[in-house]
Amino acid sequence: MYFSGIQPTGKMHIGNYLGAVRNWVKLQQPGNQNIYCIVDLHALTDKLTIDHEIKFDQNTKSDTLSLAATLIASGINPKQSVFFIQSHVPEHAELQWILSCIAPKNWLNKMTQYKDKKKEYSTLGLYTYPLLMAADIILYQAQYVPVGLDQKQHIELTRDYVQRLNSLFKLNIVEPQYLESTCPKIMSLRDGNKKMSKSDAIDGNRINIDDSKEEIFEKIKRSKTDSIPQIYFDQDKRPEISNLLRIYSAFSNLSMEQVIEKYLTKTTVDFKRDLSELIANELNTIAQKKKQILNNQSELEQTLKEGSMKAREIASKNLKLIKENIGLLV
Ligand code: TYM
C-alpha cells in the first residue's frame, strides 16, 4: 500500500511535481493500492503570521480545491486511487492525540523541519506536525511513502512510533518505508545549494505549477548558471546547471547521459530555451485539464467526498484496532 500527502499552501511547484506527484501517478498500477491525501490540517500550521498584528491566511478552501484539480489534471485518478481531503476523515486528528500520549517529547526536538521553520511566535501545531503526519501513515498501515528527501526524517520518526505501538500493545502495524522518486531534491533556480520551496519569498527561485509560458521562459532565462560554456553534470562544482539538467532529464524522460550528449556542443542559451519549452508544454497540458475540472466544482467536491468515504472505511477499522489494543472501551 502506498500513501502520501501534500499541503494546500497555494504554490505547488515543479519540485513537488517531480519529487512526489509524478511518482504517485506512476505508482498507480494494477495490483497497487494507492491512497493520496491533501493535508489541509497540516497546512493550518503555515497560516499564522505574527508581526505587528496577528494574521491568519484564509485561503485554505480555495487552495484545497485548486490543488485537488491540479492533482487530477496531473494524472491522479480518483477511480483508481483513494483521493481525499485530510480534514474530512476525523480519525487522523484522533490518532494524532493517541500518538502524542505514547511519544516522548524529545523525539520531536530533533526534527530539522521544525528547527528550520520555527519563529519567535511558533504555534504548538508546528511543533507537533510530525505526529499528525505519522498518524496519516499509520491509519492506513502504509508500506511505502513516496515523498521527497525533505520528508525522509518524518518517515523515520513514524517508524519509531510504529515500533513503540507494536511493542507496547502487541500490535502488528506495518513499518512504513521512504520511497524516493528520480528527483528527490529539486533545488532553487538561483541557488543550487538551497531546496526549491513554497515558502521561498522570491518567486523567481521556483517554477510554480500554475506559471504561464512567459513566466517559465523568464525564470529559466534568469536562473543561475556559471561561466563554463559547456553543459555537463557536476553536482559538487556546478550545482546550478546540474539541477537544470536533472529537471530536463525528468521532463524529457531522457537519461542524464542522453541529455548531456544532446547538449555537448550546444550553448547554455539553447539549452535553457529547450528546457523552458519542455516544462511549458507539460505544465500547459495540466493547466488546460485543470481549467475544465474547476469549471465543474460540484463534481470535484463530489469526487472528494466519495474519496473520503473510502478512506474513512479503512481508517476507522485501523483506528478501532489500535483503540481496542491500548485499552479504550470501544
Ligand atoms: P509538502 O506539501 O511540503 O510537499 C509535497 C511533496 O513534495 C516534496 N517536495 C520536493 N521534492 C523534491 N524537491 C523539492 N524541492 C521538493 N519540495 C517538496 C515533498 O517531499 C513532499 O513529498 N509533510 C508533507 C505532507 C504530508 C505527508 C503526510 C506526506 C503530510 N502527511 C503523510 C507523506 C505522508 C509536506 O509538507 O509535503
Side-chain angles (χ1 to χ4, degrees), residues 3-7 13 15-16 19-20 39 42 113 129 133 136-137 145-151 154-155 183-187 195-198:
F3 179 93
S4 200
I6 180 167
Q7 293 191 66
H13 52 72
N16 303 125
V39 291
H42 276 109
Q113 184 169 301
Y129 180 109
M133 185 161 161
D136 296 340
I137 297 167
V145 188
V147 282
L149 189 61
D150 61 334
Q151 298 300 317
H154 287 149
I155 314 299
C183 295
K185 195 172 186 185
I186 295 294
M187 310 310 278
K195 192 187 69 154
M196 184 177 285
S197 163
K198 289 176 198 161

PDB file of all heavy atoms in Angstrom, residues 3-7 13 15-16 19-20 39 42 113 129 133 136-137 145-151 154-155 183-187 195-198, ligand 1:
ATOM      1  N   PHE A   3       1.004   5.360   0.473  1.00  0.00           N
ATOM      2  CA  PHE A   3       0.277   6.529   0.988  1.00  0.00           C
ATOM      3  C   PHE A   3       1.164   7.759   0.867  1.00  0.00           C
ATOM      4  O   PHE A   3       2.356   7.722   1.189  1.00  0.00           O
ATOM      5  CB  PHE A   3      -0.089   6.342   2.473  1.00  0.00           C
ATOM      6  CG  PHE A   3      -0.818   7.536   3.037  1.00  0.00           C
ATOM      7  CD1 PHE A   3      -2.212   7.577   3.038  1.00  0.00           C
ATOM      8  CD2 PHE A   3      -0.120   8.645   3.513  1.00  0.00           C
ATOM      9  CE1 PHE A   3      -2.886   8.692   3.522  1.00  0.00           C
ATOM     10  CE2 PHE A   3      -0.799   9.766   3.992  1.00  0.00           C
ATOM     11  CZ  PHE A   3      -2.173   9.783   3.997  1.00  0.00           C
ATOM     12  N   SER A   4       0.573   8.878   0.430  1.00  0.00           N
ATOM     13  CA  SER A   4       1.329  10.130   0.517  1.00  0.00           C
ATOM     14  C   SER A   4       0.379  11.321   0.597  1.00  0.00           C
ATOM     15  O   SER A   4      -0.834  11.191   0.393  1.00  0.00           O
ATOM     16  CB  SER A   4       2.280  10.284  -0.672  1.00  0.00           C
ATOM     17  OG  SER A   4       3.290  11.213  -0.324  1.00  0.00           O
ATOM     18  N   GLY A   5       0.965  12.482   0.925  1.00  0.00           N
ATOM     19  CA  GLY A   5       0.155  13.684   1.092  1.00  0.00           C
ATOM     20  C   GLY A   5       0.897  14.926   0.651  1.00  0.00           C
ATOM     21  O   GLY A   5       2.122  14.935   0.518  1.00  0.00           O
ATOM     22  N   ILE A   6       0.107  15.965   0.416  1.00  0.00           N
ATOM     23  CA  ILE A   6       0.684  17.259   0.010  1.00  0.00           C
ATOM     24  C   ILE A   6      -0.144  18.382   0.624  1.00  0.00           C
ATOM     25  O   ILE A   6      -1.373  18.273   0.731  1.00  0.00           O
ATOM     26  CB  ILE A   6       0.752  17.373  -1.542  1.00  0.00           C
ATOM     27  CG1 ILE A   6       1.356  18.721  -1.978  1.00  0.00           C
ATOM     28  CG2 ILE A   6      -0.606  17.169  -2.187  1.00  0.00           C
ATOM     29  CD1 ILE A   6       1.726  18.772  -3.452  1.00  0.00           C
ATOM     30  N   GLN A   7       0.529  19.452   1.024  1.00  0.00           N
ATOM     31  CA  GLN A   7      -0.183  20.562   1.674  1.00  0.00           C
ATOM     32  C   GLN A   7      -0.770  21.537   0.645  1.00  0.00           C
ATOM     33  O   GLN A   7      -0.076  21.890  -0.308  1.00  0.00           O
ATOM     34  CB  GLN A   7       0.800  21.372   2.518  1.00  0.00           C
ATOM     35  CG  GLN A   7       1.358  20.644   3.700  1.00  0.00           C
ATOM     36  CD  GLN A   7       2.099  21.618   4.604  1.00  0.00           C
ATOM     37  OE1 GLN A   7       1.502  22.506   5.202  1.00  0.00           O
ATOM     38  NE2 GLN A   7       3.398  21.459   4.692  1.00  0.00           N
ATOM     39  N   HIS A  13       4.907  23.621  -6.775  1.00  0.00           N
ATOM     40  CA  HIS A  13       5.954  23.917  -7.760  1.00  0.00           C
ATOM     41  C   HIS A  13       6.494  22.636  -8.390  1.00  0.00           C
ATOM     42  O   HIS A  13       6.078  21.525  -8.006  1.00  0.00           O
ATOM     43  CB  HIS A  13       7.077  24.735  -7.096  1.00  0.00           C
ATOM     44  CG  HIS A  13       7.597  24.119  -5.830  1.00  0.00           C
ATOM     45  ND1 HIS A  13       8.376  22.976  -5.812  1.00  0.00           N
ATOM     46  CD2 HIS A  13       7.433  24.466  -4.523  1.00  0.00           C
ATOM     47  CE1 HIS A  13       8.684  22.664  -4.570  1.00  0.00           C
ATOM     48  NE2 HIS A  13       8.115  23.542  -3.753  1.00  0.00           N
ATOM     49  N   GLY A  15       9.205  21.178  -7.983  1.00  0.00           N
ATOM     50  CA  GLY A  15       9.870  20.296  -7.009  1.00  0.00           C
ATOM     51  C   GLY A  15       8.865  19.299  -6.444  1.00  0.00           C
ATOM     52  O   GLY A  15       9.117  18.095  -6.394  1.00  0.00           O
ATOM     53  N   ASN A  16       7.678  19.799  -6.056  1.00  0.00           N
ATOM     54  CA  ASN A  16       6.616  18.905  -5.565  1.00  0.00           C
ATOM     55  C   ASN A  16       6.196  17.927  -6.675  1.00  0.00           C
ATOM     56  O   ASN A  16       5.943  16.746  -6.421  1.00  0.00           O
ATOM     57  CB  ASN A  16       5.352  19.688  -5.172  1.00  0.00           C
ATOM     58  CG  ASN A  16       5.605  20.758  -4.122  1.00  0.00           C
ATOM     59  OD1 ASN A  16       5.279  21.922  -4.329  1.00  0.00           O
ATOM     60  ND2 ASN A  16       6.190  20.379  -3.007  1.00  0.00           N
ATOM     61  N   GLY A  19       9.329  15.601  -7.478  1.00  0.00           N
ATOM     62  CA  GLY A  19       9.774  14.868  -6.294  1.00  0.00           C
ATOM     63  C   GLY A  19       8.714  13.929  -5.753  1.00  0.00           C
ATOM     64  O   GLY A  19       9.028  12.923  -5.112  1.00  0.00           O
ATOM     65  N   ALA A  20       7.437  14.238  -6.011  1.00  0.00           N
ATOM     66  CA  ALA A  20       6.378  13.425  -5.419  1.00  0.00           C
ATOM     67  C   ALA A  20       5.275  13.077  -6.426  1.00  0.00           C
ATOM     68  O   ALA A  20       5.099  11.914  -6.787  1.00  0.00           O
ATOM     69  CB  ALA A  20       5.781  14.157  -4.205  1.00  0.00           C
ATOM     70  N   VAL A  39      -3.400  17.423   2.597  1.00  0.00           N
ATOM     71  CA  VAL A  39      -3.320  17.543   4.060  1.00  0.00           C
ATOM     72  C   VAL A  39      -3.607  18.992   4.493  1.00  0.00           C
ATOM     73  O   VAL A  39      -2.711  19.760   4.818  1.00  0.00           O
ATOM     74  CB  VAL A  39      -1.966  17.011   4.599  1.00  0.00           C
ATOM     75  CG1 VAL A  39      -1.887  15.491   4.423  1.00  0.00           C
ATOM     76  CG2 VAL A  39      -0.767  17.647   3.901  1.00  0.00           C
ATOM     77  N   HIS A  42      -2.521  19.971   8.087  1.00  0.00           N
ATOM     78  CA  HIS A  42      -1.104  20.342   8.163  1.00  0.00           C
ATOM     79  C   HIS A  42      -0.895  21.779   7.685  1.00  0.00           C
ATOM     80  O   HIS A  42      -0.077  22.518   8.235  1.00  0.00           O
ATOM     81  CB  HIS A  42      -0.246  19.403   7.301  1.00  0.00           C
ATOM     82  CG  HIS A  42       0.127  18.131   7.992  1.00  0.00           C
ATOM     83  ND1 HIS A  42      -0.394  16.907   7.653  1.00  0.00           N
ATOM     84  CD2 HIS A  42       0.976  17.898   9.024  1.00  0.00           C
ATOM     85  CE1 HIS A  42       0.122  15.971   8.438  1.00  0.00           C
ATOM     86  NE2 HIS A  42       0.951  16.548   9.282  1.00  0.00           N
ATOM     87  N   GLN A 113      12.838  20.047  10.181  1.00  0.00           N
ATOM     88  CA  GLN A 113      11.841  20.957   9.585  1.00  0.00           C
ATOM     89  C   GLN A 113      11.330  21.953  10.628  1.00  0.00           C
ATOM     90  O   GLN A 113      11.162  23.133  10.333  1.00  0.00           O
ATOM     91  CB  GLN A 113      10.672  20.167   8.999  1.00  0.00           C
ATOM     92  CG  GLN A 113       9.665  21.059   8.288  1.00  0.00           C
ATOM     93  CD  GLN A 113       8.655  20.276   7.477  1.00  0.00           C
ATOM     94  OE1 GLN A 113       8.996  19.527   6.563  1.00  0.00           O
ATOM     95  NE2 GLN A 113       7.392  20.425   7.809  1.00  0.00           N
ATOM     96  N   TYR A 129       3.484  18.834  14.340  1.00  0.00           N
ATOM     97  CA  TYR A 129       3.234  18.486  12.931  1.00  0.00           C
ATOM     98  C   TYR A 129       3.625  17.035  12.600  1.00  0.00           C
ATOM     99  O   TYR A 129       2.841  16.298  11.989  1.00  0.00           O
ATOM    100  CB  TYR A 129       4.040  19.484  12.089  1.00  0.00           C
ATOM    101  CG  TYR A 129       3.969  19.363  10.602  1.00  0.00           C
ATOM    102  CD1 TYR A 129       3.295  20.306   9.830  1.00  0.00           C
ATOM    103  CD2 TYR A 129       4.613  18.325   9.922  1.00  0.00           C
ATOM    104  CE1 TYR A 129       3.264  20.212   8.452  1.00  0.00           C
ATOM    105  CE2 TYR A 129       4.580  18.224   8.548  1.00  0.00           C
ATOM    106  CZ  TYR A 129       3.906  19.172   7.817  1.00  0.00           C
ATOM    107  OH  TYR A 129       3.870  19.064   6.453  1.00  0.00           O
ATOM    108  N   MET A 133       1.477  13.729  10.845  1.00  0.00           N
ATOM    109  CA  MET A 133       1.965  13.037   9.643  1.00  0.00           C
ATOM    110  C   MET A 133       2.111  11.530   9.921  1.00  0.00           C
ATOM    111  O   MET A 133       1.742  10.698   9.086  1.00  0.00           O
ATOM    112  CB  MET A 133       3.298  13.648   9.224  1.00  0.00           C
ATOM    113  CG  MET A 133       3.819  13.084   7.947  1.00  0.00           C
ATOM    114  SD  MET A 133       5.048  14.164   7.218  1.00  0.00           S
ATOM    115  CE  MET A 133       5.826  12.990   6.118  1.00  0.00           C
ATOM    116  N   ASP A 136      -1.290  10.035   9.821  1.00  0.00           N
ATOM    117  CA  ASP A 136      -1.759   9.847   8.431  1.00  0.00           C
ATOM    118  C   ASP A 136      -1.312   8.484   7.896  1.00  0.00           C
ATOM    119  O   ASP A 136      -2.073   7.758   7.265  1.00  0.00           O
ATOM    120  CB  ASP A 136      -1.130  10.895   7.493  1.00  0.00           C
ATOM    121  CG  ASP A 136      -1.529  12.324   7.817  1.00  0.00           C
ATOM    122  OD1 ASP A 136      -2.554  12.510   8.500  1.00  0.00           O
ATOM    123  OD2 ASP A 136      -0.805  13.245   7.379  1.00  0.00           O
ATOM    124  N   ILE A 137      -0.035   8.189   8.153  1.00  0.00           N
ATOM    125  CA  ILE A 137       0.575   6.987   7.552  1.00  0.00           C
ATOM    126  C   ILE A 137       0.112   5.717   8.280  1.00  0.00           C
ATOM    127  O   ILE A 137      -0.269   4.729   7.657  1.00  0.00           O
ATOM    128  CB  ILE A 137       2.119   7.121   7.603  1.00  0.00           C
ATOM    129  CG1 ILE A 137       2.562   8.323   6.748  1.00  0.00           C
ATOM    130  CG2 ILE A 137       2.800   5.845   7.133  1.00  0.00           C
ATOM    131  CD1 ILE A 137       4.011   8.743   6.961  1.00  0.00           C
ATOM    132  N   VAL A 145       5.942   5.118   1.415  1.00  0.00           N
ATOM    133  CA  VAL A 145       5.528   6.527   1.420  1.00  0.00           C
ATOM    134  C   VAL A 145       6.369   7.283   0.383  1.00  0.00           C
ATOM    135  O   VAL A 145       7.528   7.625   0.639  1.00  0.00           O
ATOM    136  CB  VAL A 145       5.698   7.145   2.824  1.00  0.00           C
ATOM    137  CG1 VAL A 145       5.077   8.537   2.856  1.00  0.00           C
ATOM    138  CG2 VAL A 145       5.056   6.269   3.893  1.00  0.00           C
ATOM    139  N   PRO A 146       5.806   7.505  -0.819  1.00  0.00           N
ATOM    140  CA  PRO A 146       6.571   8.216  -1.848  1.00  0.00           C
ATOM    141  C   PRO A 146       6.580   9.728  -1.588  1.00  0.00           C
ATOM    142  O   PRO A 146       5.556  10.399  -1.740  1.00  0.00           O
ATOM    143  CB  PRO A 146       5.823   7.873  -3.153  1.00  0.00           C
ATOM    144  CG  PRO A 146       4.457   7.453  -2.740  1.00  0.00           C
ATOM    145  CD  PRO A 146       4.497   7.030  -1.306  1.00  0.00           C
ATOM    146  N   VAL A 147       7.739  10.233  -1.194  1.00  0.00           N
ATOM    147  CA  VAL A 147       7.892  11.661  -0.857  1.00  0.00           C
ATOM    148  C   VAL A 147       9.278  12.133  -1.313  1.00  0.00           C
ATOM    149  O   VAL A 147      10.122  11.314  -1.679  1.00  0.00           O
ATOM    150  CB  VAL A 147       7.796  11.907   0.674  1.00  0.00           C
ATOM    151  CG1 VAL A 147       6.367  11.892   1.167  1.00  0.00           C
ATOM    152  CG2 VAL A 147       8.642  10.924   1.454  1.00  0.00           C
ATOM    153  N   GLY A 148       9.500  13.437  -1.225  1.00  0.00           N
ATOM    154  CA  GLY A 148      10.828  13.992  -1.491  1.00  0.00           C
ATOM    155  C   GLY A 148      11.739  13.788  -0.289  1.00  0.00           C
ATOM    156  O   GLY A 148      11.282  13.430   0.813  1.00  0.00           O
ATOM    157  N   LEU A 149      13.018  14.060  -0.508  1.00  0.00           N
ATOM    158  CA  LEU A 149      14.032  13.811   0.523  1.00  0.00           C
ATOM    159  C   LEU A 149      13.778  14.597   1.816  1.00  0.00           C
ATOM    160  O   LEU A 149      14.080  14.121   2.913  1.00  0.00           O
ATOM    161  CB  LEU A 149      15.408  14.194  -0.057  1.00  0.00           C
ATOM    162  CG  LEU A 149      16.631  13.832   0.752  1.00  0.00           C
ATOM    163  CD1 LEU A 149      16.741  12.320   0.962  1.00  0.00           C
ATOM    164  CD2 LEU A 149      17.897  14.344   0.058  1.00  0.00           C
ATOM    165  N   ASP A 150      13.195  15.801   1.691  1.00  0.00           N
ATOM    166  CA  ASP A 150      12.975  16.632   2.889  1.00  0.00           C
ATOM    167  C   ASP A 150      12.023  15.966   3.886  1.00  0.00           C
ATOM    168  O   ASP A 150      11.978  16.366   5.049  1.00  0.00           O
ATOM    169  CB  ASP A 150      12.447  18.023   2.487  1.00  0.00           C
ATOM    170  CG  ASP A 150      11.114  17.955   1.757  1.00  0.00           C
ATOM    171  OD1 ASP A 150      10.822  16.923   1.127  1.00  0.00           O
ATOM    172  OD2 ASP A 150      10.347  18.928   1.832  1.00  0.00           O
ATOM    173  N   GLN A 151      11.270  14.945   3.439  1.00  0.00           N
ATOM    174  CA  GLN A 151      10.304  14.295   4.337  1.00  0.00           C
ATOM    175  C   GLN A 151      10.840  12.989   4.926  1.00  0.00           C
ATOM    176  O   GLN A 151      10.156  12.337   5.719  1.00  0.00           O
ATOM    177  CB  GLN A 151       8.988  14.017   3.588  1.00  0.00           C
ATOM    178  CG  GLN A 151       8.285  15.273   3.090  1.00  0.00           C
ATOM    179  CD  GLN A 151       7.922  16.207   4.238  1.00  0.00           C
ATOM    180  OE1 GLN A 151       7.442  15.763   5.281  1.00  0.00           O
ATOM    181  NE2 GLN A 151       8.152  17.495   4.063  1.00  0.00           N
ATOM    182  N   HIS A 154      10.790  12.524   8.681  1.00  0.00           N
ATOM    183  CA  HIS A 154       9.450  12.298   9.233  1.00  0.00           C
ATOM    184  C   HIS A 154       9.030  10.828   9.109  1.00  0.00           C
ATOM    185  O   HIS A 154       8.334  10.299   9.968  1.00  0.00           O
ATOM    186  CB  HIS A 154       8.416  13.177   8.520  1.00  0.00           C
ATOM    187  CG  HIS A 154       8.519  14.624   8.898  1.00  0.00           C
ATOM    188  ND1 HIS A 154       8.198  15.646   8.023  1.00  0.00           N
ATOM    189  CD2 HIS A 154       8.900  15.218  10.036  1.00  0.00           C
ATOM    190  CE1 HIS A 154       8.390  16.803   8.630  1.00  0.00           C
ATOM    191  NE2 HIS A 154       8.806  16.574   9.847  1.00  0.00           N
ATOM    192  N   ILE A 155       9.442  10.201   8.018  1.00  0.00           N
ATOM    193  CA  ILE A 155       9.075   8.780   7.825  1.00  0.00           C
ATOM    194  C   ILE A 155       9.839   7.929   8.852  1.00  0.00           C
ATOM    195  O   ILE A 155       9.313   6.973   9.412  1.00  0.00           O
ATOM    196  CB  ILE A 155       9.406   8.272   6.396  1.00  0.00           C
ATOM    197  CG1 ILE A 155       8.954   9.263   5.322  1.00  0.00           C
ATOM    198  CG2 ILE A 155       8.820   6.878   6.146  1.00  0.00           C
ATOM    199  CD1 ILE A 155       7.514   9.561   5.258  1.00  0.00           C
ATOM    200  N   CYS A 183      13.791  12.319  -8.708  1.00  0.00           N
ATOM    201  CA  CYS A 183      14.180  13.707  -8.377  1.00  0.00           C
ATOM    202  C   CYS A 183      13.850  14.009  -6.925  1.00  0.00           C
ATOM    203  O   CYS A 183      12.934  14.797  -6.648  1.00  0.00           O
ATOM    204  CB  CYS A 183      13.418  14.696  -9.250  1.00  0.00           C
ATOM    205  SG  CYS A 183      13.802  14.599 -10.967  1.00  0.00           S
ATOM    206  N   PRO A 184      14.541  13.439  -5.967  1.00  0.00           N
ATOM    207  CA  PRO A 184      14.150  13.622  -4.567  1.00  0.00           C
ATOM    208  C   PRO A 184      14.400  15.027  -4.024  1.00  0.00           C
ATOM    209  O   PRO A 184      13.820  15.408  -3.014  1.00  0.00           O
ATOM    210  CB  PRO A 184      15.014  12.604  -3.819  1.00  0.00           C
ATOM    211  CG  PRO A 184      16.143  12.311  -4.728  1.00  0.00           C
ATOM    212  CD  PRO A 184      15.669  12.502  -6.115  1.00  0.00           C
ATOM    213  N   LYS A 185      15.263  15.797  -4.714  1.00  0.00           N
ATOM    214  CA  LYS A 185      15.526  17.144  -4.201  1.00  0.00           C
ATOM    215  C   LYS A 185      15.829  18.112  -5.345  1.00  0.00           C
ATOM    216  O   LYS A 185      16.970  18.198  -5.812  1.00  0.00           O
ATOM    217  CB  LYS A 185      16.703  17.097  -3.214  1.00  0.00           C
ATOM    218  CG  LYS A 185      16.811  18.348  -2.377  1.00  0.00           C
ATOM    219  CD  LYS A 185      17.844  18.182  -1.286  1.00  0.00           C
ATOM    220  CE  LYS A 185      17.849  19.376  -0.358  1.00  0.00           C
ATOM    221  NZ  LYS A 185      18.924  19.308   0.642  1.00  0.00           N
ATOM    222  N   ILE A 186      14.795  18.806  -5.805  1.00  0.00           N
ATOM    223  CA  ILE A 186      14.981  19.837  -6.832  1.00  0.00           C
ATOM    224  C   ILE A 186      15.386  21.127  -6.125  1.00  0.00           C
ATOM    225  O   ILE A 186      14.809  21.495  -5.099  1.00  0.00           O
ATOM    226  CB  ILE A 186      13.667  20.019  -7.644  1.00  0.00           C
ATOM    227  CG1 ILE A 186      13.336  18.746  -8.442  1.00  0.00           C
ATOM    228  CG2 ILE A 186      13.740  21.233  -8.563  1.00  0.00           C
ATOM    229  CD1 ILE A 186      14.293  18.391  -9.551  1.00  0.00           C
ATOM    230  N   MET A 187      16.404  21.789  -6.665  1.00  0.00           N
ATOM    231  CA  MET A 187      16.953  22.951  -5.975  1.00  0.00           C
ATOM    232  C   MET A 187      16.381  24.263  -6.525  1.00  0.00           C
ATOM    233  O   MET A 187      15.795  24.305  -7.614  1.00  0.00           O
ATOM    234  CB  MET A 187      18.483  22.961  -6.106  1.00  0.00           C
ATOM    235  CG  MET A 187      19.147  21.639  -5.751  1.00  0.00           C
ATOM    236  SD  MET A 187      18.608  20.943  -4.169  1.00  0.00           S
ATOM    237  CE  MET A 187      19.629  21.852  -3.046  1.00  0.00           C
ATOM    238  N   LYS A 195      16.998  24.187  -1.362  1.00  0.00           N
ATOM    239  CA  LYS A 195      15.863  23.447  -1.929  1.00  0.00           C
ATOM    240  C   LYS A 195      14.846  24.394  -2.577  1.00  0.00           C
ATOM    241  O   LYS A 195      14.609  25.484  -2.052  1.00  0.00           O
ATOM    242  CB  LYS A 195      15.205  22.691  -0.768  1.00  0.00           C
ATOM    243  CG  LYS A 195      14.194  21.650  -1.165  1.00  0.00           C
ATOM    244  CD  LYS A 195      13.493  21.087   0.066  1.00  0.00           C
ATOM    245  CE  LYS A 195      12.589  22.107   0.716  1.00  0.00           C
ATOM    246  NZ  LYS A 195      11.474  21.587   1.489  1.00  0.00           N
ATOM    247  N   MET A 196      14.268  23.997  -3.700  1.00  0.00           N
ATOM    248  CA  MET A 196      13.135  24.759  -4.246  1.00  0.00           C
ATOM    249  C   MET A 196      11.996  24.624  -3.243  1.00  0.00           C
ATOM    250  O   MET A 196      11.667  23.509  -2.833  1.00  0.00           O
ATOM    251  CB  MET A 196      12.724  24.202  -5.610  1.00  0.00           C
ATOM    252  CG  MET A 196      11.629  24.998  -6.280  1.00  0.00           C
ATOM    253  SD  MET A 196      11.203  24.399  -7.935  1.00  0.00           S
ATOM    254  CE  MET A 196      12.560  24.975  -8.918  1.00  0.00           C
ATOM    255  N   SER A 197      11.393  25.762  -2.865  1.00  0.00           N
ATOM    256  CA  SER A 197      10.453  25.696  -1.751  1.00  0.00           C
ATOM    257  C   SER A 197       9.262  26.639  -1.930  1.00  0.00           C
ATOM    258  O   SER A 197       9.405  27.743  -2.467  1.00  0.00           O
ATOM    259  CB  SER A 197      11.228  26.057  -0.470  1.00  0.00           C
ATOM    260  OG  SER A 197      10.351  26.381   0.553  1.00  0.00           O
ATOM    261  N   LYS A 198       8.096  26.182  -1.446  1.00  0.00           N
ATOM    262  CA  LYS A 198       6.880  27.010  -1.493  1.00  0.00           C
ATOM    263  C   LYS A 198       7.048  28.256  -0.646  1.00  0.00           C
ATOM    264  O   LYS A 198       6.454  29.294  -0.930  1.00  0.00           O
ATOM    265  CB  LYS A 198       5.698  26.236  -0.902  1.00  0.00           C
ATOM    266  CG  LYS A 198       5.181  25.094  -1.720  1.00  0.00           C
ATOM    267  CD  LYS A 198       4.068  24.391  -0.920  1.00  0.00           C
ATOM    268  CE  LYS A 198       3.785  23.017  -1.446  1.00  0.00           C
ATOM    269  NZ  LYS A 198       3.089  22.145  -0.517  1.00  0.00           N
TER     270      LYS A 198
HETATM  271  P1  TYM B   1       4.744  19.287   1.044  1.00  0.00           P
HETATM  272  O1  TYM B   1       3.355  19.730   0.796  1.00  0.00           O
HETATM  273  O2  TYM B   1       5.722  20.278   1.573  1.00  0.00           O
HETATM  274  O3  TYM B   1       5.389  18.713  -0.280  1.00  0.00           O
HETATM  275  C1  TYM B   1       4.729  17.715  -1.055  1.00  0.00           C
HETATM  276  C2  TYM B   1       5.762  16.752  -1.611  1.00  0.00           C
HETATM  277  O4  TYM B   1       6.734  17.446  -2.405  1.00  0.00           O
HETATM  278  C3  TYM B   1       8.048  17.060  -1.995  1.00  0.00           C
HETATM  279  N1  TYM B   1       8.960  18.192  -2.253  1.00  0.00           N
HETATM  280  C4  TYM B   1      10.036  18.124  -3.036  1.00  0.00           C
HETATM  281  N2  TYM B   1      10.570  17.123  -3.753  1.00  0.00           N
HETATM  282  C5  TYM B   1      11.685  17.392  -4.463  1.00  0.00           C
HETATM  283  N3  TYM B   1      12.278  18.622  -4.496  1.00  0.00           N
HETATM  284  C6  TYM B   1      11.783  19.647  -3.783  1.00  0.00           C
HETATM  285  N4  TYM B   1      12.367  20.844  -3.840  1.00  0.00           N
HETATM  286  C7  TYM B   1      10.611  19.426  -3.013  1.00  0.00           C
HETATM  287  N5  TYM B   1       9.857  20.226  -2.205  1.00  0.00           N
HETATM  288  C8  TYM B   1       8.862  19.440  -1.742  1.00  0.00           C
HETATM  289  C9  TYM B   1       7.906  16.743  -0.514  1.00  0.00           C
HETATM  290  O5  TYM B   1       8.968  15.937  -0.066  1.00  0.00           O
HETATM  291  C10 TYM B   1       6.572  16.049  -0.491  1.00  0.00           C
HETATM  292  O6  TYM B   1       6.722  14.680  -0.824  1.00  0.00           O
HETATM  293  N6  TYM B   1       4.668  16.804   5.375  1.00  0.00           N
HETATM  294  C11 TYM B   1       4.367  16.683   3.968  1.00  0.00           C
HETATM  295  C12 TYM B   1       2.920  16.333   3.690  1.00  0.00           C
HETATM  296  C13 TYM B   1       2.404  15.148   4.428  1.00  0.00           C
HETATM  297  C14 TYM B   1       2.671  13.788   4.127  1.00  0.00           C
HETATM  298  C15 TYM B   1       1.915  13.039   5.071  1.00  0.00           C
HETATM  299  C16 TYM B   1       3.461  13.144   3.185  1.00  0.00           C
HETATM  300  C17 TYM B   1       1.543  15.171   5.481  1.00  0.00           C
HETATM  301  N7  TYM B   1       1.238  13.917   5.866  1.00  0.00           N
HETATM  302  C18 TYM B   1       1.971  11.634   5.097  1.00  0.00           C
HETATM  303  C19 TYM B   1       3.513  11.751   3.211  1.00  0.00           C
HETATM  304  C20 TYM B   1       2.773  11.025   4.139  1.00  0.00           C
HETATM  305  C21 TYM B   1       4.666  18.019   3.311  1.00  0.00           C
HETATM  306  O7  TYM B   1       4.696  19.039   3.939  1.00  0.00           O
HETATM  307  O8  TYM B   1       4.754  17.975   1.962  1.00  0.00           O
END
